[in-house]
C-alpha cells in the first residue's frame, strides 16, 4: 500500500468512528488522485460523512458531479448514489447537474444508471424543468427488471413528461386473471402458473404506481388529467382497492379545481358509498361528492340518498375530513327532509362545538341548521 493509500484509508476509518467537519476537505483533496482506489475511498468517506449530516453532501456536490464520468465504475456508482442520498433531503443543490446525470442513464454499468435515475427522480420535486429535457432518456426504464427502477421512471415521467396522461395507460389494463392458466389433467401447469403469477405481480405494481403517479399529477396540474376522467371513474370499482382509492383521490383533485369535471360521474361515485366498498374507497368517494355538491346539488342529493345510514356512520370516523364531508352531504339531504339528521343530532352538535377543525364545525352547523336541530 502506497503512502497515499495509507493516508486515505486511515482517514476513511477515522470518519467511520470519529468524524469531524475538517475531514470533508481532507477527503476532497484525494478526489483527483491518480489511483482509482484512492479516489474511491475518498468518495466513500464523504458519503460516510453525509450519513451523519447531509450538508456534507451538499458541500461536496460539485466534486461528486465531476466524478460522474470517472473511468472507474465503482466511483461512478458512489458519486451517483451520493447525489441520490442528497436528493432524499434536498435535491436543489445539484439541479445544474441534470444533464450530467441524464448522461449516466446510458452508462454501461447498471448501478450507475439506476442511481442516476433515482437522483433525477428526486430532482423532479424541486426542479422539474431541469429533468424535462431528458424524458426520452428516462422512458426505457419503464421496462426495467427491478420494480423500484420502473416505479422511479414512471413517477418521474408523470411529473415532467409533456404527455403526462399517457403514463397512466396502465390503469386501463384489466387485471391479469391468475387463475386463468392452461391446465394439465385438471390442475394448473406449475410453470405456467408461476409465469402467470409473475405477470400479475408486475402488472399490479405497474397499475398501483400509475395510480400514485396520476394523483400527484392531478394535484399539480389537474388540466393535464381531465382527459382521463372517464377512465378514473371506471376504476372506482377496480378489484385492487389501491387502484380504486387512487382513482377517487384523483377525481377529488379534479373536483377541487373544477367540480364540473366530475358531474358525469356522480352516480359512479355514490355507488362507492355502499357498505361493501373498501373503507378507503368509500372515504375518498365521499370527499369527492362533498366537493362536487355545490355544483350539482340535485344530482348529488339523488345519488347519495340511498346511503344516508352510511353518511351518519361516517360522522364517527377518525378523520376530520370525513366528518366534514358526511355533514355536508347530510345538510344537502336535510334541505328536502329535515328529519334526515334527527338520529345524529347529538353527534352533529358535538362536532359543531368540539370538532377538530373549523371546517368540520362549520359543516356540522350547516347540517344542524338544515335539519332544524340548532
Amino acid at each position: 500500500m502506497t503512502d497515499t493509500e495509507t493516508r486515505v484509508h486511515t482517514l476513511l476509518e477515522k470518519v467511520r468512528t470519529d468524524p469531524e467537519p475538517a475531514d470533508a476537505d481532507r477527503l476532497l483533496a484525494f478526489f483527483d488522485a491518480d489511483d482509482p482506489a484512492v479516489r474511491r475511498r475518498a468518495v466513500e468517506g464523504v458519503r460516510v460523512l453525509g450519513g451523519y449530516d447531509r450538508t456534507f453532501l451538499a458541500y461536496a456536490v460539485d466534486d461528486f458531479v465531476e466524478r460522474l464520468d470517472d473511468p472507474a465504475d465503482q466511483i461512478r456508482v458512489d458519486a451517483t448514489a451520493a447525489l441520490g442520498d442528497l436528493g432524499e433531503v434536498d435535491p436543489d443543490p445539484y439541479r445544474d447537474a441534470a444533464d450530467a446525470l441524464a448522461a449516466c442513464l446510458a452508462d454501461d454499468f447498471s448501478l450507475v444508471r439506476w442511481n442516476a435515475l433515482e437522483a433525477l427522480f428526486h430532482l423532479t420535486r424541486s426542479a422539474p424543468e431541469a429533468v424535462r429535457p431528458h424524458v426520452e432518456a428516462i422512458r426505457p426504464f419503464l421496462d426495467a427488471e427491478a420494480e423500484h427502477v420502473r416505479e422511479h421512471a414512471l413517477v418521474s415521467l408523470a411529473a415532467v413528461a409533456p404527455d403526462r396522461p399517457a403514463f397512466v395507460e396502465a390503469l386501463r389494463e384489466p387485471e391479469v386473471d391468475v387463475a386463468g392458466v392452461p391446465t394439465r389433467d385438471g390442475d394448473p401447469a406449475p410453470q405456467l402458473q408461476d409465469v402467470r403469477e409473475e405477470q400479475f405481480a408486475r402488472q399490479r405494481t405497474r397499475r398501483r404506481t400509475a395510480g400514485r403517479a396520476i394523483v400527484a399529477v392531478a394535484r399539480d396540474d389537474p388540466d393535464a388529467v381531465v382527459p382521463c376522467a372517464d377512465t378514473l371513474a371506471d376504476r372506482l370499482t377496480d378489484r385492487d382497492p389501491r387502484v380504486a382509492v387512487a382513482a377517487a383521490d384523483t377525481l377529488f383533485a379534479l373536483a377541487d379545481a373544477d367540480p364540473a369535471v366530475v358531474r358525469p360521474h356522480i352516480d359512479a361515485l355514490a355507488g362507492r358509498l355502499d357498505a361493501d366498498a373498501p373503507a378507503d374507497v368509500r372515504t375518498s368517494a365521499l370527499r369527492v361528492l362533498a366537493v362536487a355538491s355545490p355544483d350539482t346539488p340535485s344530482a348529488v342529493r339523488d345519488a347519495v340518498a340511498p346511503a344516508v345510514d352510511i353518511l351518519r356512520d361516517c360522522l364517527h370516523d377518525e378523520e376530520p375530513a370525513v366528518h366534514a364531508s358526511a355533514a355536508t352531504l347530510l345538510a344537502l339531504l336535510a334541505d328536502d327532509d329535515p328529519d334526515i339528521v334527527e338520529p345524529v343530532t347529538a353527534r352533529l352538535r358535538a362536532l359543531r362545538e368540539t370538532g377538530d377543525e373549523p371546517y368540520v364545525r362549520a359543516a356540522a352547523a350547516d347540517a344542524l341548521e338544515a335539519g332544524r336541530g340548532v
Side-chain angles (χ1 to χ4, degrees), residues 329-349:
L329 295 176
L330 285 170
L332 186 66
L333 293 174
D335 285 339
D336 277 357
D337 181 3
D339 292 338
I340 285 285
V341 300
E342 194 278 331
V344 287
T345 297
R347 177 57 178 162
L348 286 168
R349 285 174 177 165

Side-chain angles (χ1 to χ4, degrees), residues 120-136:
L120 288 168
F121 162 73
H122 292 308
L123 192 57
T124 59
R125 298 199 315 268
S126 67
E129 71 283 355
V131 182
R132 191 163 289 121
H134 307 296
V135 163
E136 295 306 320

Side-chain angles (χ1 to χ4, degrees), residues 98 121 132 258 319 360:
F121 162 73
R132 191 163 289 121
D258 180 6
E319 295 296 324
V360 174

